[in-house]
PDB file of all heavy atoms in Angstrom:
ATOM      1  N   GLY A   1      -8.064 -28.915   7.632  1.00  0.00           N
ATOM      2  CA  GLY A   1      -7.624 -27.512   7.732  1.00  0.00           C
ATOM      3  C   GLY A   1      -6.582 -27.219   8.698  1.00  0.00           C
ATOM      4  O   GLY A   1      -6.399 -26.028   8.980  1.00  0.00           O
ATOM      5  N   VAL A   2      -5.938 -28.126   9.353  1.00  0.00           N
ATOM      6  CA  VAL A   2      -4.792 -28.007  10.290  1.00  0.00           C
ATOM      7  C   VAL A   2      -3.621 -27.706   9.380  1.00  0.00           C
ATOM      8  O   VAL A   2      -3.280 -28.525   8.564  1.00  0.00           O
ATOM      9  CB  VAL A   2      -4.602 -29.140  11.195  1.00  0.00           C
ATOM     10  CG1 VAL A   2      -3.524 -28.815  12.182  1.00  0.00           C
ATOM     11  CG2 VAL A   2      -5.848 -29.416  12.056  1.00  0.00           C
ATOM     12  N   THR A   3      -2.931 -26.560   9.705  1.00  0.00           N
ATOM     13  CA  THR A   3      -1.744 -26.179   8.943  1.00  0.00           C
ATOM     14  C   THR A   3      -0.494 -26.466   9.704  1.00  0.00           C
ATOM     15  O   THR A   3      -0.318 -26.036  10.880  1.00  0.00           O
ATOM     16  CB  THR A   3      -1.817 -24.626   8.590  1.00  0.00           C
ATOM     17  OG1 THR A   3      -2.895 -24.322   7.842  1.00  0.00           O
ATOM     18  CG2 THR A   3      -0.605 -24.357   7.745  1.00  0.00           C
ATOM     19  N   PHE A   4       0.412 -27.307   9.149  1.00  0.00           N
ATOM     20  CA  PHE A   4       1.687 -27.412   9.758  1.00  0.00           C
ATOM     21  C   PHE A   4       2.741 -26.456   9.162  1.00  0.00           C
ATOM     22  O   PHE A   4       3.004 -26.533   7.995  1.00  0.00           O
ATOM     23  CB  PHE A   4       2.196 -28.890   9.420  1.00  0.00           C
ATOM     24  CG  PHE A   4       1.636 -29.989  10.324  1.00  0.00           C
ATOM     25  CD1 PHE A   4       0.321 -30.480  10.199  1.00  0.00           C
ATOM     26  CD2 PHE A   4       2.396 -30.544  11.350  1.00  0.00           C
ATOM     27  CE1 PHE A   4      -0.327 -31.426  10.865  1.00  0.00           C
ATOM     28  CE2 PHE A   4       1.700 -31.508  12.181  1.00  0.00           C
ATOM     29  CZ  PHE A   4       0.531 -31.961  12.006  1.00  0.00           C
ATOM     30  N   GLN A   5       3.318 -25.647   9.993  1.00  0.00           N
ATOM     31  CA  GLN A   5       4.227 -24.714   9.573  1.00  0.00           C
ATOM     32  C   GLN A   5       5.558 -24.896  10.301  1.00  0.00           C
ATOM     33  O   GLN A   5       5.607 -24.977  11.561  1.00  0.00           O
ATOM     34  CB  GLN A   5       3.862 -23.212   9.928  1.00  0.00           C
ATOM     35  CG  GLN A   5       2.464 -22.852   9.327  1.00  0.00           C
ATOM     36  CD  GLN A   5       2.492 -22.483   7.772  1.00  0.00           C
ATOM     37  OE1 GLN A   5       2.544 -23.450   7.021  1.00  0.00           O
ATOM     38  NE2 GLN A   5       2.644 -21.205   7.517  1.00  0.00           N
ATOM     39  N   VAL A   6       6.609 -25.201   9.433  1.00  0.00           N
ATOM     40  CA  VAL A   6       7.967 -25.412  10.069  1.00  0.00           C
ATOM     41  C   VAL A   6       8.858 -24.141   9.797  1.00  0.00           C
ATOM     42  O   VAL A   6       9.049 -23.811   8.707  1.00  0.00           O
ATOM     43  CB  VAL A   6       8.511 -26.665   9.557  1.00  0.00           C
ATOM     44  CG1 VAL A   6       9.867 -26.959  10.190  1.00  0.00           C
ATOM     45  CG2 VAL A   6       7.664 -27.924   9.695  1.00  0.00           C
ATOM     46  N   TYR A   7       9.399 -23.534  10.851  1.00  0.00           N
ATOM     47  CA  TYR A   7      10.248 -22.412  10.842  1.00  0.00           C
ATOM     48  C   TYR A   7      11.593 -22.658  11.354  1.00  0.00           C
ATOM     49  O   TYR A   7      11.761 -23.408  12.255  1.00  0.00           O
ATOM     50  CB  TYR A   7       9.485 -21.224  11.562  1.00  0.00           C
ATOM     51  CG  TYR A   7       8.214 -20.812  10.915  1.00  0.00           C
ATOM     52  CD1 TYR A   7       7.040 -21.109  11.610  1.00  0.00           C
ATOM     53  CD2 TYR A   7       8.074 -19.918   9.817  1.00  0.00           C
ATOM     54  CE1 TYR A   7       5.730 -20.720  11.081  1.00  0.00           C
ATOM     55  CE2 TYR A   7       6.953 -19.413   9.358  1.00  0.00           C
ATOM     56  CZ  TYR A   7       5.688 -19.904   9.959  1.00  0.00           C
ATOM     57  OH  TYR A   7       4.538 -19.471   9.462  1.00  0.00           O
ATOM     58  N   ARG A   8      12.574 -21.811  10.926  1.00  0.00           N
ATOM     59  CA  ARG A   8      13.826 -21.630  11.581  1.00  0.00           C
ATOM     60  C   ARG A   8      13.994 -20.172  12.021  1.00  0.00           C
ATOM     61  O   ARG A   8      13.831 -19.289  11.150  1.00  0.00           O
ATOM     62  CB  ARG A   8      14.960 -21.944  10.536  1.00  0.00           C
ATOM     63  CG  ARG A   8      16.354 -21.883  11.059  1.00  0.00           C
ATOM     64  CD  ARG A   8      17.420 -22.397  10.136  1.00  0.00           C
ATOM     65  NE  ARG A   8      17.214 -21.824   8.747  1.00  0.00           N
ATOM     66  CZ  ARG A   8      17.291 -22.366   7.713  1.00  0.00           C
ATOM     67  NH1 ARG A   8      17.495 -23.705   7.634  1.00  0.00           N
ATOM     68  NH2 ARG A   8      17.110 -21.710   6.533  1.00  0.00           N
ATOM     69  N   PRO A   9      14.369 -19.905  13.300  1.00  0.00           N
ATOM     70  CA  PRO A   9      14.543 -18.535  13.677  1.00  0.00           C
ATOM     71  C   PRO A   9      15.674 -17.937  12.896  1.00  0.00           C
ATOM     72  O   PRO A   9      16.710 -18.539  12.525  1.00  0.00           O
ATOM     73  CB  PRO A   9      14.999 -18.786  15.190  1.00  0.00           C
ATOM     74  CG  PRO A   9      14.294 -19.980  15.560  1.00  0.00           C
ATOM     75  CD  PRO A   9      14.357 -20.915  14.313  1.00  0.00           C
ATOM     76  N   ALA A  10      15.459 -16.658  12.497  1.00  0.00           N
ATOM     77  CA  ALA A  10      16.353 -16.016  11.631  1.00  0.00           C
ATOM     78  C   ALA A  10      16.674 -14.562  12.127  1.00  0.00           C
ATOM     79  O   ALA A  10      16.744 -13.624  11.335  1.00  0.00           O
ATOM     80  CB  ALA A  10      15.747 -15.842  10.338  1.00  0.00           C
ATOM     81  N   GLY A  11      17.030 -14.460  13.461  1.00  0.00           N
ATOM     82  CA  GLY A  11      17.422 -13.195  14.068  1.00  0.00           C
ATOM     83  C   GLY A  11      16.351 -12.278  14.252  1.00  0.00           C
ATOM     84  O   GLY A  11      15.125 -12.510  14.333  1.00  0.00           O
ATOM     85  N   ARG A  12      16.628 -10.946  14.019  1.00  0.00           N
ATOM     86  CA  ARG A  12      15.750  -9.918  14.195  1.00  0.00           C
ATOM     87  C   ARG A  12      14.961  -9.526  12.882  1.00  0.00           C
ATOM     88  O   ARG A  12      15.483  -9.690  11.787  1.00  0.00           O
ATOM     89  CB  ARG A  12      16.435  -8.503  14.597  1.00  0.00           C
ATOM     90  CG  ARG A  12      16.864  -8.543  16.073  1.00  0.00           C
ATOM     91  CD  ARG A  12      15.920  -8.497  17.034  1.00  0.00           C
ATOM     92  NE  ARG A  12      14.979  -7.300  16.744  1.00  0.00           N
ATOM     93  CZ  ARG A  12      15.182  -6.011  17.031  1.00  0.00           C
ATOM     94  NH1 ARG A  12      16.364  -5.670  17.647  1.00  0.00           N
ATOM     95  NH2 ARG A  12      14.399  -5.082  16.741  1.00  0.00           N
ATOM     96  N   PRO A  13      13.776  -9.217  12.965  1.00  0.00           N
ATOM     97  CA  PRO A  13      13.040  -8.781  11.793  1.00  0.00           C
ATOM     98  C   PRO A  13      13.641  -7.472  11.129  1.00  0.00           C
ATOM     99  O   PRO A  13      14.269  -6.727  11.810  1.00  0.00           O
ATOM    100  CB  PRO A  13      11.510  -8.539  12.163  1.00  0.00           C
ATOM    101  CG  PRO A  13      11.545  -9.051  13.551  1.00  0.00           C
ATOM    102  CD  PRO A  13      12.880  -9.077  14.107  1.00  0.00           C
ATOM    103  N   ARG A  14      13.459  -7.326   9.849  1.00  0.00           N
ATOM    104  CA  ARG A  14      13.705  -6.027   9.200  1.00  0.00           C
ATOM    105  C   ARG A  14      12.464  -5.241   9.099  1.00  0.00           C
ATOM    106  O   ARG A  14      11.353  -5.760   8.704  1.00  0.00           O
ATOM    107  CB  ARG A  14      14.281  -6.252   7.789  1.00  0.00           C
ATOM    108  CG  ARG A  14      15.660  -7.013   7.864  1.00  0.00           C
ATOM    109  CD  ARG A  14      16.157  -7.170   6.430  1.00  0.00           C
ATOM    110  NE  ARG A  14      15.446  -7.958   5.654  1.00  0.00           N
ATOM    111  CZ  ARG A  14      15.599  -8.187   4.363  1.00  0.00           C
ATOM    112  NH1 ARG A  14      16.584  -7.663   3.630  1.00  0.00           N
ATOM    113  NH2 ARG A  14      14.813  -9.144   3.684  1.00  0.00           N
ATOM    114  N   TYR A  15      12.518  -4.003   9.417  1.00  0.00           N
ATOM    115  CA  TYR A  15      11.424  -3.087   9.346  1.00  0.00           C
ATOM    116  C   TYR A  15      11.615  -2.012   8.324  1.00  0.00           C
ATOM    117  O   TYR A  15      12.752  -1.564   8.101  1.00  0.00           O
ATOM    118  CB  TYR A  15      11.130  -2.472  10.705  1.00  0.00           C
ATOM    119  CG  TYR A  15      10.739  -3.313  11.802  1.00  0.00           C
ATOM    120  CD1 TYR A  15      11.710  -3.866  12.741  1.00  0.00           C
ATOM    121  CD2 TYR A  15       9.570  -3.970  11.956  1.00  0.00           C
ATOM    122  CE1 TYR A  15      11.525  -4.802  13.667  1.00  0.00           C
ATOM    123  CE2 TYR A  15       9.154  -4.802  13.058  1.00  0.00           C
ATOM    124  CZ  TYR A  15      10.180  -5.199  13.806  1.00  0.00           C
ATOM    125  OH  TYR A  15       9.775  -6.153  14.755  1.00  0.00           O
ATOM    126  N   ALA A  16      10.528  -1.471   7.759  1.00  0.00           N
ATOM    127  CA  ALA A  16      10.696  -0.383   6.682  1.00  0.00           C
ATOM    128  C   ALA A  16      11.161   0.869   7.489  1.00  0.00           C
ATOM    129  O   ALA A  16      10.719   1.039   8.492  1.00  0.00           O
ATOM    130  CB  ALA A  16       9.312  -0.198   6.124  1.00  0.00           C
ATOM    131  N   THR A  17      11.995   1.516   6.935  1.00  0.00           N
ATOM    132  CA  THR A  17      12.522   2.709   7.483  1.00  0.00           C
ATOM    133  C   THR A  17      12.256   4.035   6.777  1.00  0.00           C
ATOM    134  O   THR A  17      12.451   5.095   7.287  1.00  0.00           O
ATOM    135  CB  THR A  17      14.070   2.705   7.688  1.00  0.00           C
ATOM    136  OG1 THR A  17      14.614   2.461   6.303  1.00  0.00           O
ATOM    137  CG2 THR A  17      14.599   1.539   8.457  1.00  0.00           C
ATOM    138  N   GLU A  18      11.623   3.885   5.593  1.00  0.00           N
ATOM    139  CA  GLU A  18      11.244   5.064   4.781  1.00  0.00           C
ATOM    140  C   GLU A  18       9.913   4.931   4.466  1.00  0.00           C
ATOM    141  O   GLU A  18       9.247   3.994   4.291  1.00  0.00           O
ATOM    142  CB  GLU A  18      12.091   5.077   3.449  1.00  0.00           C
ATOM    143  CG  GLU A  18      13.499   5.168   3.631  1.00  0.00           C
ATOM    144  CD  GLU A  18      14.291   5.159   2.295  1.00  0.00           C
ATOM    145  OE1 GLU A  18      13.572   5.083   1.306  1.00  0.00           O
ATOM    146  OE2 GLU A  18      15.491   5.312   2.173  1.00  0.00           O
ATOM    147  N   VAL A  19       9.108   6.154   4.451  1.00  0.00           N
ATOM    148  CA  VAL A  19       7.690   6.359   4.281  1.00  0.00           C
ATOM    149  C   VAL A  19       7.646   6.738   2.785  1.00  0.00           C
ATOM    150  O   VAL A  19       8.187   7.823   2.368  1.00  0.00           O
ATOM    151  CB  VAL A  19       7.179   7.388   5.121  1.00  0.00           C
ATOM    152  CG1 VAL A  19       5.600   7.500   4.760  1.00  0.00           C
ATOM    153  CG2 VAL A  19       7.271   6.969   6.592  1.00  0.00           C
ATOM    154  N   PRO A  20       7.050   6.054   1.924  1.00  0.00           N
ATOM    155  CA  PRO A  20       7.015   6.385   0.436  1.00  0.00           C
ATOM    156  C   PRO A  20       6.143   7.601   0.267  1.00  0.00           C
ATOM    157  O   PRO A  20       5.202   8.000   1.103  1.00  0.00           O
ATOM    158  CB  PRO A  20       6.304   5.034  -0.143  1.00  0.00           C
ATOM    159  CG  PRO A  20       5.546   4.480   0.936  1.00  0.00           C
ATOM    160  CD  PRO A  20       6.372   4.752   2.156  1.00  0.00           C
ATOM    161  N   ASP A  21       6.392   8.382  -0.845  1.00  0.00           N
ATOM    162  CA  ASP A  21       5.688   9.513  -1.137  1.00  0.00           C
ATOM    163  C   ASP A  21       4.215   9.147  -1.371  1.00  0.00           C
ATOM    164  O   ASP A  21       3.864   7.985  -2.043  1.00  0.00           O
ATOM    165  CB  ASP A  21       6.232  10.220  -2.336  1.00  0.00           C
ATOM    166  CG  ASP A  21       7.521  10.881  -2.057  1.00  0.00           C
ATOM    167  OD1 ASP A  21       7.824  11.156  -0.849  1.00  0.00           O
ATOM    168  OD2 ASP A  21       8.415  11.091  -2.970  1.00  0.00           O
ATOM    169  N   ARG A  22       3.360  10.018  -1.071  1.00  0.00           N
ATOM    170  CA  ARG A  22       1.871   9.925  -1.368  1.00  0.00           C
ATOM    171  C   ARG A  22       1.728   9.898  -2.964  1.00  0.00           C
ATOM    172  O   ARG A  22       2.368  10.849  -3.560  1.00  0.00           O
ATOM    173  CB  ARG A  22       1.126  10.816  -0.658  1.00  0.00           C
ATOM    174  CG  ARG A  22       1.181  10.741   0.901  1.00  0.00           C
ATOM    175  CD  ARG A  22       0.390  11.952   1.557  1.00  0.00           C
ATOM    176  NE  ARG A  22      -0.943  11.941   1.376  1.00  0.00           N
ATOM    177  CZ  ARG A  22      -1.809  12.919   1.660  1.00  0.00           C
ATOM    178  NH1 ARG A  22      -1.276  14.003   2.268  1.00  0.00           N
ATOM    179  NH2 ARG A  22      -3.036  12.811   1.445  1.00  0.00           N
ATOM    180  N   PRO A  23       0.902   9.178  -3.428  1.00  0.00           N
ATOM    181  CA  PRO A  23       0.783   9.170  -4.875  1.00  0.00           C
ATOM    182  C   PRO A  23       0.123  10.519  -5.353  1.00  0.00           C
ATOM    183  O   PRO A  23      -0.662  11.119  -4.707  1.00  0.00           O
ATOM    184  CB  PRO A  23      -0.203   7.992  -5.150  1.00  0.00           C
ATOM    185  CG  PRO A  23      -1.013   7.759  -3.893  1.00  0.00           C
ATOM    186  CD  PRO A  23       0.018   8.115  -2.773  1.00  0.00           C
ATOM    187  N   SER A  24       0.593  10.907  -6.478  1.00  0.00           N
ATOM    188  CA  SER A  24      -0.006  12.100  -7.095  1.00  0.00           C
ATOM    189  C   SER A  24      -1.336  11.821  -7.588  1.00  0.00           C
ATOM    190  O   SER A  24      -1.777  10.749  -7.747  1.00  0.00           O
ATOM    191  CB  SER A  24       0.973  12.673  -8.097  1.00  0.00           C
ATOM    192  OG  SER A  24       1.141  11.784  -9.177  1.00  0.00           O
ATOM    193  N   CYS A  25      -2.068  12.855  -8.163  1.00  0.00           N
ATOM    194  CA  CYS A  25      -3.297  12.776  -8.691  1.00  0.00           C
ATOM    195  C   CYS A  25      -3.293  11.900  -9.951  1.00  0.00           C
ATOM    196  O   CYS A  25      -2.384  12.057 -10.759  1.00  0.00           O
ATOM    197  CB  CYS A  25      -3.933  14.108  -8.983  1.00  0.00           C
ATOM    198  SG  CYS A  25      -4.243  15.146  -7.550  1.00  0.00           S
ATOM    199  N   PRO A  26      -4.296  11.020 -10.066  1.00  0.00           N
ATOM    200  CA  PRO A  26      -4.197  10.204 -11.410  1.00  0.00           C
ATOM    201  C   PRO A  26      -4.409  11.154 -12.509  1.00  0.00           C
ATOM    202  O   PRO A  26      -5.012  12.180 -12.493  1.00  0.00           O
ATOM    203  CB  PRO A  26      -5.543   9.428 -11.168  1.00  0.00           C
ATOM    204  CG  PRO A  26      -5.752   9.316  -9.683  1.00  0.00           C
ATOM    205  CD  PRO A  26      -5.279  10.586  -9.265  1.00  0.00           C
ATOM    206  N   ARG A  27      -3.893  10.715 -13.728  1.00  0.00           N
ATOM    207  CA  ARG A  27      -4.054  11.423 -14.906  1.00  0.00           C
ATOM    208  C   ARG A  27      -5.371  11.264 -15.631  1.00  0.00           C
ATOM    209  O   ARG A  27      -5.475  10.739 -16.701  1.00  0.00           O
ATOM    210  CB  ARG A  27      -2.884  11.039 -15.913  1.00  0.00           C
ATOM    211  CG  ARG A  27      -1.492  11.312 -15.247  1.00  0.00           C
ATOM    212  CD  ARG A  27      -1.183  12.718 -15.194  1.00  0.00           C
ATOM    213  NE  ARG A  27       0.179  13.064 -14.723  1.00  0.00           N
ATOM    214  CZ  ARG A  27       0.682  14.221 -14.441  1.00  0.00           C
ATOM    215  NH1 ARG A  27      -0.141  15.338 -14.648  1.00  0.00           N
ATOM    216  NH2 ARG A  27       1.904  14.358 -13.970  1.00  0.00           N
ATOM    217  N   LEU A  28      -6.336  11.778 -14.936  1.00  0.00           N
ATOM    218  CA  LEU A  28      -7.722  11.721 -15.531  1.00  0.00           C
ATOM    219  C   LEU A  28      -8.249  13.232 -15.746  1.00  0.00           C
ATOM    220  O   LEU A  28      -7.733  14.119 -15.131  1.00  0.00           O
ATOM    221  CB  LEU A  28      -8.646  11.079 -14.574  1.00  0.00           C
ATOM    222  CG  LEU A  28      -8.389   9.633 -14.253  1.00  0.00           C
ATOM    223  CD1 LEU A  28      -9.502   9.049 -13.335  1.00  0.00           C
ATOM    224  CD2 LEU A  28      -8.614   8.772 -15.596  1.00  0.00           C
ATOM    225  N   PRO A  29      -9.050  13.333 -16.690  1.00  0.00           N
ATOM    226  CA  PRO A  29      -9.656  14.792 -16.882  1.00  0.00           C
ATOM    227  C   PRO A  29     -10.251  15.280 -15.591  1.00  0.00           C
ATOM    228  O   PRO A  29     -10.870  14.563 -14.864  1.00  0.00           O
ATOM    229  CB  PRO A  29     -10.717  14.402 -17.967  1.00  0.00           C
ATOM    230  CG  PRO A  29     -10.297  13.170 -18.596  1.00  0.00           C
ATOM    231  CD  PRO A  29      -9.697  12.398 -17.705  1.00  0.00           C
ATOM    232  N   HIS A  30     -10.035  16.405 -15.325  1.00  0.00           N
ATOM    233  CA  HIS A  30     -10.335  17.094 -14.127  1.00  0.00           C
ATOM    234  C   HIS A  30     -11.820  16.902 -13.783  1.00  0.00           C
ATOM    235  O   HIS A  30     -12.253  16.691 -12.657  1.00  0.00           O
ATOM    236  CB  HIS A  30      -9.874  18.481 -13.946  1.00  0.00           C
ATOM    237  CG  HIS A  30     -10.248  19.113 -12.673  1.00  0.00           C
ATOM    238  ND1 HIS A  30     -11.171  20.124 -12.516  1.00  0.00           N
ATOM    239  CD2 HIS A  30      -9.683  18.898 -11.417  1.00  0.00           C
ATOM    240  CE1 HIS A  30     -11.324  20.368 -11.172  1.00  0.00           C
ATOM    241  NE2 HIS A  30     -10.397  19.741 -10.554  1.00  0.00           N
ATOM    242  N   ARG A  31     -12.718  17.110 -14.820  1.00  0.00           N
ATOM    243  CA  ARG A  31     -14.074  17.003 -14.683  1.00  0.00           C
ATOM    244  C   ARG A  31     -14.479  15.592 -14.095  1.00  0.00           C
ATOM    245  O   ARG A  31     -15.348  15.369 -13.380  1.00  0.00           O
ATOM    246  CB  ARG A  31     -14.908  17.397 -15.830  1.00  0.00           C
ATOM    247  CG  ARG A  31     -14.643  16.487 -17.076  1.00  0.00           C
ATOM    248  CD  ARG A  31     -15.462  16.997 -18.247  1.00  0.00           C
ATOM    249  NE  ARG A  31     -15.244  16.100 -19.367  1.00  0.00           N
ATOM    250  CZ  ARG A  31     -14.346  16.149 -20.266  1.00  0.00           C
ATOM    251  NH1 ARG A  31     -13.363  17.081 -20.066  1.00  0.00           N
ATOM    252  NH2 ARG A  31     -14.243  15.372 -21.245  1.00  0.00           N
ATOM    253  N   VAL A  32     -13.652  14.604 -14.609  1.00  0.00           N
ATOM    254  CA  VAL A  32     -14.072  13.121 -14.233  1.00  0.00           C
ATOM    255  C   VAL A  32     -13.613  13.011 -12.768  1.00  0.00           C
ATOM    256  O   VAL A  32     -14.358  12.403 -11.945  1.00  0.00           O
ATOM    257  CB  VAL A  32     -13.310  12.178 -15.142  1.00  0.00           C
ATOM    258  CG1 VAL A  32     -13.523  10.726 -14.800  1.00  0.00           C
ATOM    259  CG2 VAL A  32     -13.760  12.468 -16.598  1.00  0.00           C
ATOM    260  N   ARG A  33     -12.564  13.515 -12.389  1.00  0.00           N
ATOM    261  CA  ARG A  33     -12.031  13.193 -11.050  1.00  0.00           C
ATOM    262  C   ARG A  33     -12.866  14.052 -10.155  1.00  0.00           C
ATOM    263  O   ARG A  33     -13.294  13.501  -9.093  1.00  0.00           O
ATOM    264  CB  ARG A  33     -10.569  13.870 -10.910  1.00  0.00           C
ATOM    265  CG  ARG A  33      -9.481  13.248 -11.726  1.00  0.00           C
ATOM    266  CD  ARG A  33      -8.139  13.390 -11.223  1.00  0.00           C
ATOM    267  NE  ARG A  33      -7.765  14.849 -11.329  1.00  0.00           N
ATOM    268  CZ  ARG A  33      -7.094  15.410 -12.314  1.00  0.00           C
ATOM    269  NH1 ARG A  33      -6.805  14.661 -13.332  1.00  0.00           N
ATOM    270  NH2 ARG A  33      -6.847  16.677 -12.214  1.00  0.00           N
ATOM    271  N   THR A  34     -13.275  15.273 -10.454  1.00  0.00           N
ATOM    272  CA  THR A  34     -14.152  16.059  -9.584  1.00  0.00           C
ATOM    273  C   THR A  34     -15.409  15.350  -9.356  1.00  0.00           C
ATOM    274  O   THR A  34     -15.955  15.239  -8.276  1.00  0.00           O
ATOM    275  CB  THR A  34     -14.343  17.461 -10.191  1.00  0.00           C
ATOM    276  OG1 THR A  34     -13.051  18.018 -10.435  1.00  0.00           O
ATOM    277  CG2 THR A  34     -15.205  18.271  -9.287  1.00  0.00           C
ATOM    278  N   ALA A  35     -16.066  14.879 -10.457  1.00  0.00           N
ATOM    279  CA  ALA A  35     -17.410  14.162 -10.388  1.00  0.00           C
ATOM    280  C   ALA A  35     -17.288  13.054  -9.412  1.00  0.00           C
ATOM    281  O   ALA A  35     -18.153  12.740  -8.581  1.00  0.00           O
ATOM    282  CB  ALA A  35     -17.929  13.745 -11.729  1.00  0.00           C
ATOM    283  N   SER A  36     -16.234  12.244  -9.635  1.00  0.00           N
ATOM    284  CA  SER A  36     -15.991  10.896  -8.865  1.00  0.00           C
ATOM    285  C   SER A  36     -15.810  11.299  -7.394  1.00  0.00           C
ATOM    286  O   SER A  36     -16.367  10.651  -6.576  1.00  0.00           O
ATOM    287  CB  SER A  36     -14.836  10.151  -9.371  1.00  0.00           C
ATOM    288  OG  SER A  36     -14.537   9.090  -8.661  1.00  0.00           O
ATOM    289  N   CYS A  37     -15.008  12.313  -7.014  1.00  0.00           N
ATOM    290  CA  CYS A  37     -14.688  12.630  -5.764  1.00  0.00           C
ATOM    291  C   CYS A  37     -15.948  13.195  -4.926  1.00  0.00           C
ATOM    292  O   CYS A  37     -16.180  13.074  -3.832  1.00  0.00           O
ATOM    293  CB  CYS A  37     -13.516  13.576  -5.716  1.00  0.00           C
ATOM    294  SG  CYS A  37     -12.009  12.854  -6.180  1.00  0.00           S
ATOM    295  N   ARG A  38     -16.724  14.026  -5.744  1.00  0.00           N
ATOM    296  CA  ARG A  38     -17.989  14.589  -5.046  1.00  0.00           C
ATOM    297  C   ARG A  38     -18.854  13.437  -4.584  1.00  0.00           C
ATOM    298  O   ARG A  38     -19.500  13.420  -3.536  1.00  0.00           O
ATOM    299  CB  ARG A  38     -18.789  15.407  -6.111  1.00  0.00           C
ATOM    300  CG  ARG A  38     -18.236  16.753  -6.360  1.00  0.00           C
ATOM    301  CD  ARG A  38     -19.216  17.757  -6.843  1.00  0.00           C
ATOM    302  NE  ARG A  38     -18.663  18.979  -7.308  1.00  0.00           N
ATOM    303  CZ  ARG A  38     -18.508  19.283  -8.486  1.00  0.00           C
ATOM    304  NH1 ARG A  38     -18.801  18.558  -9.524  1.00  0.00           N
ATOM    305  NH2 ARG A  38     -17.981  20.524  -8.801  1.00  0.00           N
ATOM    306  N   ALA A  39     -18.875  12.336  -5.488  1.00  0.00           N
ATOM    307  CA  ALA A  39     -19.658  11.187  -5.024  1.00  0.00           C
ATOM    308  C   ALA A  39     -19.156  10.483  -3.841  1.00  0.00           C
ATOM    309  O   ALA A  39     -19.903   9.819  -3.154  1.00  0.00           O
ATOM    310  CB  ALA A  39     -19.832  10.157  -6.230  1.00  0.00           C
ATOM    311  N   ARG A  40     -17.802  10.532  -3.650  1.00  0.00           N
ATOM    312  CA  ARG A  40     -17.118   9.932  -2.564  1.00  0.00           C
ATOM    313  C   ARG A  40     -16.865  10.777  -1.320  1.00  0.00           C
ATOM    314  O   ARG A  40     -16.300  10.354  -0.421  1.00  0.00           O
ATOM    315  CB  ARG A  40     -15.961   9.275  -3.009  1.00  0.00           C
ATOM    316  CG  ARG A  40     -16.058   8.271  -4.171  1.00  0.00           C
ATOM    317  CD  ARG A  40     -14.813   7.704  -4.536  1.00  0.00           C
ATOM    318  NE  ARG A  40     -14.933   6.870  -5.711  1.00  0.00           N
ATOM    319  CZ  ARG A  40     -14.123   5.968  -6.080  1.00  0.00           C
ATOM    320  NH1 ARG A  40     -12.959   5.684  -5.465  1.00  0.00           N
ATOM    321  NH2 ARG A  40     -14.297   5.296  -7.185  1.00  0.00           N
TER     322      ARG A  40
END
C-alpha cells in the first residue's frame, strides 16, 4: 500500500476565479418537490 508518486514542479497553481450560478429548481411537479422538501 505504499504509493510512489513522481512529480515535476510546474509553477503556480491555477485557481478558479468565477463562482458558478446556483442551480435552478429541478423540473419536477411542484407537489413532488414540496413533499420531498418537507421531508428534508
Side-chain angles (χ1 to χ4, degrees):
V2 179
T3 304
F4 281 77
Q5 303 281 81
V6 183
Y7 295 100
R8 178 175 54 224
R12 290 287 310 279
R14 292 183 297 173
Y15 297 100
T17 58
E18 297 180 359
V19 178
D21 293 335
R22 297 170 68 187
S24 58
C25 298
R27 298 294 184 180
L28 296 176
H30 183 247
R31 64 179 181 277
V32 175
R33 296 199 300 266
T34 303
S36 174
C37 292
R38 283 199 189 110
R40 301 184 187 195

